């Protein structure tokens, strides 16, 4: 089924401000809230759809990616963003958004208390990847310091909130009187407090420990993209769900290969003699070494295009190209016999510059670039 446009879902324009996005979502969330539409599957779908739209549009990075690539940019090549979008939001995720939207723990005037499962906090790490890793995908094992439950930690029900994790207040709001929940100040919303704490654990029975986490990086990742490793953030105290490890991909600059969108560029130096006689050279591409042929009489500044040797495109199934910029190296020191040889060429009027007119001059190249 085709996914609807996020802006359309929230009934806002693409230029909507953060505040307008928030207001639009609040409106939709109230309209389609399951408490108000019991047993209405289509309302529930709309409720989830709006939450997903808000999740993306309220996040600067995700919004920018969505604006540029649409839904394709959200789900990537199938490997990205367990981050909750792409239809993967569950009701817990949605209600956890509400703290931001409604200022409380997510309660509506429906009267029932929704016990939220406590989640550990997310951890965020950056991972540096070579161009090759980014293109081909890879697995990396990194060391993460995360809060882990210390064996032997036990808990008892929080008496302040009777285990609900929330304190309920009646509030007058712009929607009329609403019952709102705030996080219990005694247990911070966990619903439980420590009973027995083993040595070395904090008052929630947790301790920071090193853990090795293996991360699969899908082919075609990009600088700044965030991968989600579920459950490898901090453990939640007393039996909640652990948070996620958010891995931000950082592209390591390559000395020889430069990127320009999906295309790659590299400089290749050949000797004067090689340019005159023709040669073949092995060059590095992200898919491994490739042998290229350089014709006899190749001019400095010639650009060879290796089709499909660039990066996989995020927008289509195609691939970019690799451009090899040929530089002819003029010898800076000559042996006596070389010097004699070249002097003779000049005296005899040999080896002159004789452009046939087919060569593109610097000015042609500049003009091509701007056209
Ligand atoms: Zn409590």
């Amino acid at each position: 089924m085709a996914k609807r446009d996020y802006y359309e879902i929230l009934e806002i324009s693409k230029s909507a401000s953060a505040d307008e996005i928030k207001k639009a979502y609040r409106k939709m969330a109230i309209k389609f809230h399951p408490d108000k539409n019991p047993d209405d599957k289509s309302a529930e779908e709309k409720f989830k759809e709006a939450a997903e739209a808000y999740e993306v549009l309220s996040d600067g990075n995700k919004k920018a990616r969505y604006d540029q690539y649409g839904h394709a940019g959200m789900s990537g090549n199938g490997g990205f963003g367990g981050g909750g979008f792409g239809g993967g939001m569950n009701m817990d995720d949605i209600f956890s958004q509400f703290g931001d939207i409604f200022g409380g723990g997510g309660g509506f005037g429906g009267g029932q208390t929704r016990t939220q499962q406590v989640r550990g906090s997310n951890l965020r790490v950056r991972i540096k990847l070579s161009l090759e890793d980014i293109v081909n995908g890879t697995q990396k094992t990194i060391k993460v310091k995360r809060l882990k439950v210390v064996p032997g930690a036990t808990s008892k029900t929080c008496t302040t909130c009777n285990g609900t994790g929330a304190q309920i207040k009646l509030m007058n709001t712009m929607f009329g009187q609403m019952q709102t929940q705030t996080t219990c100040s005694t247990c911070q919303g966990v619903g439980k407090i420590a009973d027995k704490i083993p040595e070395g654990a904090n008052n929630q029975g947790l301790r920071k420990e090193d853990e090795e986490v293996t991360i699969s990086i899908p082919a075609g990742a990009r600088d700044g993209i965030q991968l989600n490793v579920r459950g490898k953030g901090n453990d939640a105290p007393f039996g909640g769900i652990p948070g996620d490890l958010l891995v931000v991909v950082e592209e390591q600059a390559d000395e020889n290969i430069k990127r320009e969108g999906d295309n790659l560029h590299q400089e290749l130096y050949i000797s004067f003699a090689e340019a005159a006689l023709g040669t073949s050279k092995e060059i590095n591409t992200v898919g491994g070494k490739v042998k290229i042929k350089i014709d006899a009489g190749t001019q400095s500044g010639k650009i060879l295009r290796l089709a499909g040797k660039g990066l996989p495109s995020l927008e289509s199934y195609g691939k970019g190209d690799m451009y090899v910029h040929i530089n002819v190296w003029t010898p800076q020191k000559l042996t006596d016999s070389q010097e004699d040889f070249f002097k003779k060429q000049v005296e005899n009027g040999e080896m002159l510059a004789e452009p046939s007119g087919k060569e593109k001059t610097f000015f042609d190249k500049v003009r091509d670039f701007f056209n």
Side-chain angles (χ1 to χ4, degrees):
M1 198 179 76
K3 278 183 83 113
R4 285 173 70 204
D5 177 64
Y6 288 148
Y7 292 97
E8 195 184 303
I9 291 167
L10 296 183
E11 296 174 4
I12 49 175
S13 77
K14 288 209 168 185
S15 57
S17 67
D19 211 41
E20 285 165 340
I21 293 170
K22 199 182 224 180
K23 274 194 188 138
Y25 173 49
R26 189 157 54 185
K27 200 175 95 189
M28 293 297 161
I30 289 168
K31 190 169 164 192
F32 297 117
H33 195 282
D35 284 355
K36 295 209 170 156
N37 303 274
D39 302 322
D40 181 346
K41 269 274 159 218
S42 82
E44 189 184 316
E45 279 315 305
K46 289 204 163 99
F47 182 71
K48 284 183 176 175
E49 205 177 44
E52 189 187 317
Y54 178 72
E55 217 250 330
V56 171
L57 299 183
S58 61
D59 177 313
N61 277 332
K62 288 178 191 168
K63 182 175 183 297
R65 219 160 70 215
Y66 178 74
D67 287 346
Q68 196 174 358
Y69 300 119
H71 289 297
M74 295 292 99
S75 49
N77 292 350
F80 302 134
F85 41 74
M89 285 190 92
N90 60 38
M91 284 299 196
D92 274 348
D93 289 336
I94 296 173
F95 289 115
S96 72
Q97 279 181 345
F98 281 177
D100 178 34
I101 294 291
F102 298 100
F108 271 88
Q112 87 232 71
T113 306
R114 204 174 279 277
T115 342
Q116 280 183 306
Q117 208 163 1
V118 173
R119 281 187 74 134
S121 50
N122 292 340
L123 287 172
R124 185 182 287 261
V125 293
R126 304 186 80 87
I127 189 166
K128 282 201 165 157
L129 296 178
S130 70
L131 202 51
E132 182 134 19
D133 286 343
I134 281 183
V135 172
N136 299 325
T138 184
Q139 277 205 344
K140 293 273 173 191
T141 301
I142 58 167
K143 211 179 250 180
V144 178
K145 262 196 191 319
R146 50 185 295 256
L147 284 171
K148 288 177 82 167
V149 172
V150 180
T154 58
S155 63
K156 55 188 178 193
T157 303
C158 171
T159 46
T160 309
C161 62
N162 289 320
T164 62
Q167 288 168 315
I168 296 168
K169 285 181 188 156
L170 269 181
M171 266 175 65
N172 292 311
T173 72
M174 57 188 277
F175 310 114
Q177 199 175 57
M178 282 177 83
Q179 206 178 34
T180 62
Q181 294 179 15
T182 55
T183 305
C184 170
S185 54
T186 307
C187 63
Q188 271 79 47
V190 175
K192 291 173 185 169
I193 52 171
D195 187 17
K196 284 202 190 86
I197 296 284
E199 207 170 280
N202 69 13
N203 63 5
Q204 292 189 311
L206 304 172
R207 178 171 61 197
K208 262 208 165 122
E209 282 176 31
D210 281 332
E211 187 175 321
E212 289 199 331
V213 177
T214 301
I215 302 158
S216 296
I217 291 119
R222 281 290 190 278
D223 192 62
I225 254 174
Q226 184 175 285
L227 305 164
N228 231 13
V229 187
R230 283 243 185 250
K232 291 297 179 187
N234 288 322
D235 273 356
F238 316 128
I241 315 164
D244 296 341
L245 177 65
L246 311 177
V247 183
V248 179
V249 169
E250 204 171 287
E251 190 180 307
Q252 226 161 14
D254 190 291
E255 244 175 74
N256 299 310
I257 300 179
K258 300 278 169 262
R259 261 185 60 175
E260 181 204 42
D262 299 330
N263 293 329
L264 300 174
H265 295 264
Q266 67 175 300
E267 306 275 342
L268 176 68
Y269 285 86
I270 60 174
S271 76
F272 179 81
E274 286 170 328
L277 298 171
T279 184
S280 66
K281 289 274 170 184
E282 237 182 25
I283 59 157
N284 286 316
T285 70
V286 282
K289 286 190 187 303
V290 167
K291 210 168 200 176
I292 59 169
K293 187 172 171 283
I294 292 157
D295 293 335
T298 290
Q299 302 296 336
S300 199
K302 181 166 184 165
I303 301 165
L304 300 175
R305 174 171 163 266
L306 308 183
K309 295 290 181 192
L311 301 184
S313 170
L314 278 187
E315 288 138 274
S316 67
Y317 289 102
K319 272 186 162 189
D321 304 324
M322 162 77 87
Y323 292 91
V324 182
H325 300 252
I326 309 275
N327 298 281
V328 175
W329 187 257
T330 307
Q332 294 181 308
K333 258 191 194 145
L334 297 172
T335 62
D336 289 349
S337 63
Q338 286 168 343
E339 200 175 316
D340 284 348
F341 171 76
F342 283 119
K343 270 184 176 162
K344 237 171 243 156
Q345 302 305 312
V346 174
E347 280 159 19
N348 298 341
E350 306 278 348
M351 292 176 79
L352 296 174
E354 289 175 295
S356 65
K358 274 188 279 177
E359 293 82 7
K360 283 196 172 173
T361 66
F362 171 74
F363 300 104
D364 290 333
K365 281 180 202 157
V366 171
R367 200 185 49 214
D368 287 352
F369 182 80
F370 285 108
N371 281 335

